[in-house]
Amino acid sequence: MTDRGWYDNEYHDAAQRAERATRFGWAAIAGTAGALACTLIVLVALVVVAAVACLYVVVAMDY
């Protein structure tokens, strides 16, 4: 009984914990990347709106 196989409960539990930690890590990475992408889209939209507003002001000054 000194031979311990890979499917011993201790190793199986450790493998399950590692798998859960890996899934959590990838979920955190995906969530952060998604939040940054949304922030970047909003920032680009605000810059475009500001540029259009500036152009509107410049054109309106000529009249």
Side-chain angles (χ1 to χ4, degrees):
M1 297 293 289
T2 60
D3 185 27
R4 296 176 65 164
W6 174 252
Y7 293 106
D8 193 350
N9 284 338
E10 183 178 329
Y11 293 116
H12 186 65
D13 291 342
Q16 284 182 337
R17 285 193 306 272
E19 188 175 333
R20 281 194 301 267
T22 301
R23 279 196 307 263
F24 176 76
W26 279 113
I29 290 169
T32 302
L36 288 174
C38 289
T39 303
L40 182 62
I41 291 169
V42 169
L43 183 63
V44 168
L46 288 175
V47 168
V48 169
V49 168
V52 169
C54 288
L55 288 173
Y56 178 76
V57 168
V58 168
V59 170
M61 290 174 75
D62 288 339
Y63 291 113

